[in-house]
Structures are given as structure tokens and as C-alpha cells.
Amino acid sequence: MKFLQIILICFTFAFSSLAQDSFIDKMNEAKKTTKEELGDLKFDGSKSTYFQVREEVSYKEVEVAIFLRKNYHLFFNGNPTSAKVTVRIYDKPANNPNRIMLWEVKNISGKQKSVSVEELKKMYAYYVENVDNLRSIFVDYEIQKGKPERGGVVMVLGY
Amino acid sequence: MKNITKIFVALLTTGIIYSCNNEEVKSEEDTTKKKTGLIDIDTTDAFTSDEFEFILPRPFALAASFEEAGMTYDETRMNSLENLDSYKTEGKQILNFGVYSTDLVYNIINEQPQYSIKYFNGLKTLADRIGMGRIFTEDELALKIEKNIADKDKMEDLLVDVHEASQEYLQNNQLRFLSIIQFAGAWTEGMYLASFDFEKKDQNVISNKIVDHMTLLNNTIKGIKLYEDRDEDLQKVLDGLIDIQSAYNNYESVKSAEGMPKLTSDEINTFKNKIHEVRSLIIS
């Protein structure tokens, strides 16, 4: 019986490696598709955010330095996730209570969305006088609770 | 019962064969790592991103941010390729992979094909030592680069592929934490090359650039701190970067700023000296 248990554990481990590799392939495929969406824009980087759907709401944050190029365009691909994920872009990090939300997509799952820094600055101009002080933006992913599973969102930068 | 056992054994064997094929090269690298005890990485949750991350800019984007401030070319400023063989620890090799990446871009944007090819070959050598040599063989990337080395625009695209391939390699091999070390080297070299003739340039422009780049420095420090078992070389570099950050935060113009700080010439000069110190640590 003990032998069977050991084999079962080993099998689960081997199977989860297979599942992990196929999920990475899914994320890489999403990145490839999103890069194709750039059109005339030049690719300038990407960030694949991996998460585990949990029984409670969880968050991930990615900072993007926007001062390096004149007008970044951000492309999001939520195809690799079936969980409900809200994407929000802020001017400041999550620990700052005075931060301003500049953009939101309620559920990116199975969708592709994009926004430019110019659009974000237009929104920012409603709140502050000098929009040029916006040097970094903070992309927050709010992962809704659900049945435990792997998920991910790909963000691609173009200019 | 015997049949069930047989099925499990068969499935397990299939799983192991798959894992072995997939991990062939990796296990060799892992053994080397265990032997040398260099950078110890916690990979238990490597495929769940941290709660906070940031996009690592490419060396081309770093260089572009300084182009408008004017960055003159001088080949003696780059890290000499003669130093390549002196980098024995993984920390030094990865840091200098970043340094040489920036030097390569510096050559390309200044249209120096002879130096570009030399630095590209140096980069390839380091990539082999780190275990990332395969990134140049995929899609015949190395051949394409050698063929287009004098074409600035094509090279920019090809170096995007190199950057992506190296990031994917680190990600897929559960080594994504190493990319921040590579970036630390690239960032320091970029700041170092840009820092020459600071005094002859528009001080407002230079001040704005430094202020902008502090965001990248802060995140780099956060990233390197994630290593609990940093080797001595990396610890020294981290201390140096923290020293730059502390000095900056204590500048009068930063402490008193309401919006974007305007650094004084003295502050810019102190900043420059500190960058030079950290760069010496990395390349020595």
C-alpha cells in the first residue's frame, strides 16, 4: 500500500510538471499573439504575470516606467486565464491611499485590450495640473476568488 | 491490484522520461550550481509572480532615454573584453552579461560595427558560461546578428529577440529572479556611459534623467534583495546601489522638492562618482 502511495505522489508530481509546461506554452502563445497586435508600433518589452486562483481575492502589481519612450501603448492578453481578473492602472503603488485610477477593464479573461499612455495622461489631467510628472504607472490585477487553478495575464509594451 | 500498480509504474515512467528530456541541460547546470554554491534561488513558487514586479527595460530603451542628453562615443569607456575571463562567479558573470549588453548597444547606436561584433562575441561567450548559449542558436539568431551588425535598425530588432530569448530562458528555467541581476549590470553601465561630460550638458535635462532613473534603481534594489543567499560580489554591488539610493534621498533638493526635484551641480557630481564606484565593483 505504501508503495502505491509513493507511486501516486510521484505520478502527481510528474503530471503537474507536464501541466506547468503546457501552461507556460499557453502564456508564450499569448505573448506571441499580443506582439502581432502591435501593428506599426515597435515592441519594447513584456511582462507575463502568473498567479494561482485562490479561495479569496488576491492582487498582483506591475510597475511600468513610462519615461523611457514618448508614448507607450500597453496591450493586455487575458486568454491564458479563465478566472475573472480586473485590470486597473494607477498613478501610484497600492500602498498609497491617494492614488488615482486611470483605466480599468472589469474582466480581462479571454480578452485582449489596449491603452496608450497618452490616453492615461488625458485622464490624469482631470486630477493634476502637470501630467508630465507621471513617470511610472502601476498595473494592478485583481484576481477574483474561485476554484484553485493556474492563471496568467500577458502585458506587452509598444511605442 | 497488480494491474493498477503496473499502470501507475508505466505512467510514472512516462512522466520521468518526459521530465528527463526536458530537464537534461538544466540538471547539468543545477549540479554545477550545487558544486559551486553560488546564487541560491528559491524556486518553490517560481511560477507564481510576486505581488509586486516591474518591467525590466531593454538596454536599447535605457540608451534611448539618454540620447537626447547627448552621449558621446569613446571605446575606452566600455568594459574591456580582456576582463571576460576574470569573471568566475555566477553573480559576476550575470552582472557583466548586463554590462556587455549595454556596451553592445552603445557600439550599435554609435555605428561602430567592428566593436559591435567584438562585444557581441564577448556576450555570446558569457552566455555560454551562464548556460544561456542556446538563445543565440535558436532561429539562427547569432548568424542574423553577424550579418546585420552594421545596420542599426535591424540590430535593434534583433537585440529585442536576444532580450526576449534571454528573459524567456530565465523564465522557463525557473531562474527569472536572475534577470534583475543582469539588469543591475546593464543599468549601471548605461548610467556610467551617460555620466561622462555631465558638467558640459544641460543640468536640467541631466537632473530630470537622474530623477527618472531612480525609479529603476529602487526596483533593482528591491529585486536583488529577494536573494537571501547572495554571494559576496553581489552583496557588495547591492551595498553600492543602496549607497547611491541613500545619497540621492538625502540630497537637499530631493528632500525639499514638492514636484520633480532639480538636482544641483554638486549633487549631480556626487551621483556620478557613486555610479563610477559601483561600476568598478561590477567589472573588477
Side-chain angles (χ1 to χ4, degrees), chain A residues 1 16 21 29 46 56 81-83 92 138 143 153 155 157:
Chain A
M1 198 59 187
S16 72
D21 282 348
E29 185 55 37
S46 65
E56 69 271 7
T81 187
S82 53
K92 292 184 180 73
F138 297 82
I143 304 125
V153 178
M155 172 171 52
L157 284 183

Side-chain angles (χ1 to χ4, degrees), chain A residues 65-126:
Chain A
I66 56 169
F67 63 84
L68 294 163
R69 302 286 188 189
K70 280 209 172 91
N71 185 22
Y72 269 130
H73 291 248
L74 293 90
F75 294 78
F76 296 91
N77 189 327
N79 285 333
T81 187
S82 53
K84 194 177 170 191
V85 179
T86 302
V87 184
R88 295 189 185 98
I89 299 180
Y90 293 91
D91 65 329
K92 292 184 180 73
N95 58 11
N96 191 318
N98 301 318
R99 66 186 186 150
I100 298 164
M101 190 175 78
L102 306 172
W103 190 72
E104 182 184 39
V105 176
K106 285 280 185 204
N107 185 10
I108 194 78
S109 170
K111 293 178 203 150
Q112 285 178 244
K113 296 278 176 188
S114 69
V115 66
S116 70
V117 167
E118 213 166 77
E119 290 170 67
L120 297 175
K121 281 187 174 172
K122 271 184 197 163
M123 176 59 89
Y124 197 45
Y126 287 112

